Amino acid sequence: MVHPPLGKMFIAVGEWLFGLTPFGWRFAVAVAGSLAILMTARIARRMTRSTLLGCAAGLLLALDGLEFVLSRTAILDIFVMFWVLAAFGLLLIDRDRTRAALAAAAAGEDTASGYAAAGGGAALRDSRGPRLGFRWPLLLAGLCLGCACATKWNGVWYAAAFAALVVAWDVGARRAAGFGTGWRGLLRYDAPWLPLWFAVVPAAVYVASWTGWFVTGYGFDRNGAALNGGRPAGTLVAWLQYNKSMLGYGLGLQAGQPYRSNPLCWPVLARPIAFYSSCLPTSECGKVASSTEQEVLAIGTPLIWWAGSAALLVCLAWWLTRRDWRAGAVLLGVAAGWVPWLWFYWHDHRTEFYYYAVVFDPFLVLAITLCLGLIIGPARAAEPPGGRLGGRRRLPARGRRELLLPVSRPRGAGHPVHLLAVPDVVSRLDLTAARTAHAPTPGRAF
C-alpha cells in the first residue's frame, strides 16, 4: 500500500505459477538477483574490456551476503537494483555506439556502430558535429528506469543521475572528436530527446504499472473516500490522493525500530538487519548447551563492503586526477542510491534500514573491479612485424585466430580519430593494441 505496484506484481507472478508458498513468493526475487549477477559481469566486461575482470565482478556480487539474502526474500529492493543496473548497462551500449559513430564521422567514413551519423562531409565542417539519430538504447534505459520507479520511488534519483551522465558523455565525445566544445551539437541534436528518454518514458511506465488499479473497482481506496474524509472522488483524484499519501508516508516515517540505521554507516556494515531469528528449544534458549540459534541476517560480506568503501576513495581520487569516465560513472551510481538517504535521515529524521543499500551494491563491486584493473595494469601488445598492412592493424585475439580490423590512417598528430579513447567492441573477443604516440590514456575522455 505504501509503494507502487510493479514489484508486487512480479512477486505475484511467482505465486501464480507456484502457489502461495515460500518458493512461489521468492521465485521472482531469485530470478532478478541471479540475472543481476550476470548483468554485473557483462557491464564490468564492457567497462574494462577484460573477460577476467568481468567474471571477477560477477563472482564478487554472487558472494555478497546482502545480495544473496535479498535475492531470497520477497521484498522490493532487489527489483529496483535490477532495473537500475539494466539501465546502466544500456547507457554503456549507447556510449560505445555514440563514440564509434562520432569517430567515423570525424574520419569521413561510414559507421557500423548502429547509429547513422547524418551530415556526411557537412558534419566535418560544422562545429556541432553529426546528428546521431534516434538512440534506442536510451529509450530502453528510460523503460528500465520507469520500472525502477514503479517498484519503489527511490529509483527516480537514478533517472536524474543517468540523464546527467549521458550529457557528460555526449559532450566529452563530441569534444574529443573535434566538434568544438561539444555543447552546440548536444543542444542542437540530442538535448531535445533527453526529456523523452529520462522523463516522459519513465512517467509513462509508472502510470502503466497502475493499470490493475485503474481497470478494477476493488483497489485500495479506489473511490477515493478513505483518503478524502469519507467523500468519494473521481478516479484521477483518487489516484493522486493515493500517491500523495504514499509520499507522506515515505517522508514521515519516524517509527522507532531497533534495526534502524544511519546511512552514513552502511558501507561499513555498522547496523545489519535480522529478517528471521529462532532459538530452540524456546523455553531454554541460551540456557543450555544444546540450544540452537537460527537467523537470516541481511548483511553484506565484510571483505567486499569494506574493500568497496576503500575502492570508492580510490575511484574518487582517480576521477579527480585523471577524469576517468569509468570511475566517475561508478561514483555517480553509488551517490544516486546513497546520498538521498543521507539527506532524508538528517533533514527528516526518517527511519531507514541497511538493506536499502542493495540498490548501489553492484556499483561497489564495479569500484572494486576497477581497482583490481589498476593493480593488474593495462593489457599491452607490441605491434606485429610489418606494422600496418594495407591500412589495417593486426590485433591479437585471445583465441586461435588473429583478427584484422580496419583502422583509419592518421591524418596528422591532431587528427580527431586519435582523440577517441574507446576501441570498437567485438563480441566475445578481447582486443588489445599498441598505444599510438598521440592517443590518450584509455578512459581519460568522457
Side-chain angles (χ1 to χ4, degrees), residues 72-202:
R72 287 146 182 84
T73 309
I75 56 178
L76 303 176
D77 298 79
I78 197 73
F79 294 119
V80 182
M81 182 262 275
F82 172 84
W83 291 115
V84 165
L85 193 60
F88 183 67
L90 288 163
L91 260 62
L92 291 176
I93 293 173
D94 173 79
R95 182 183 187 276
D96 286 342
R97 291 185 177 183
T98 297
R99 296 175 72 83
L102 291 173
E109 300 172 350
D110 294 331
T111 176
S113 67
Y115 291 165
L124 297 176
R125 298 187 297 271
D126 189 346
S127 63
R128 294 176 300 185
R131 184 193 305 272
L132 296 174
F134 193 79
R135 295 156 66 175
W136 290 101
L138 294 185
L139 177 67
L140 295 176
L143 289 172
C144 291
L145 291 170
C147 290
C149 297
T151 302
K152 287 185 74 172
W153 279 5
N154 55 321
V156 71
W157 308 115
Y158 281 96
F162 287 173
L165 191 61
V166 168
V167 169
W169 285 350
D170 283 7
V171 170
R174 288 181 180 272
R175 181 170 59 242
F179 298 117
T181 63
W183 284 103
R184 291 188 62 199
L186 174 78
L187 295 175
R188 176 65 178 86
Y189 299 129
D190 300 322
W193 291 107
L194 287 173
L196 173 66
W197 295 326
F198 296 104
V200 176
V201 171

Side-chain angles (χ1 to χ4, degrees), residues 198-276:
F198 296 104
V200 176
V201 171
V205 173
Y206 179 82
V207 174
S209 71
W210 288 83
T211 300
W213 188 89
F214 284 118
V215 301
T216 61
Y218 48 81
F220 172 74
D221 196 29
R222 183 61 181 79
N223 65 357
L227 299 174
N228 195 34
R231 299 183 300 274
T235 298
L236 181 59
V237 173
W239 180 69
L240 292 175
Q241 287 180 165
Y242 191 175
N243 280 265
K244 182 180 178 181
S245 70
M246 290 164 49
L247 178 62
Y249 175 86
L251 295 178
L253 180 61
Q254 298 177 352
Q257 224 287 344
Y259 286 108
R260 67 182 298 175
S261 61
N262 185 339
L264 192 63
C265 301
W266 290 350
V268 294
L269 313 178
R271 189 57 173 145
I273 179 170
F275 283 174
Y276 170 82

Side-chain angles (χ1 to χ4, degrees), residues 407-429:
V407 178
S408 302
R409 294 184 181 276
R411 303 178 186 177
H415 190 264
V417 172
H418 283 302
L419 302 178
L420 286 173
V422 176
D424 292 334
V425 179
V426 180
S427 300
R428 293 185 290 276
L429 287 176

Side-chain angles (χ1 to χ4, degrees), residues 388-393 405-409:
R388 296 181 180 275
L389 301 175
R392 293 173 178 264
R393 175 180 296 168
L405 292 181
V407 178
S408 302
R409 294 184 181 276

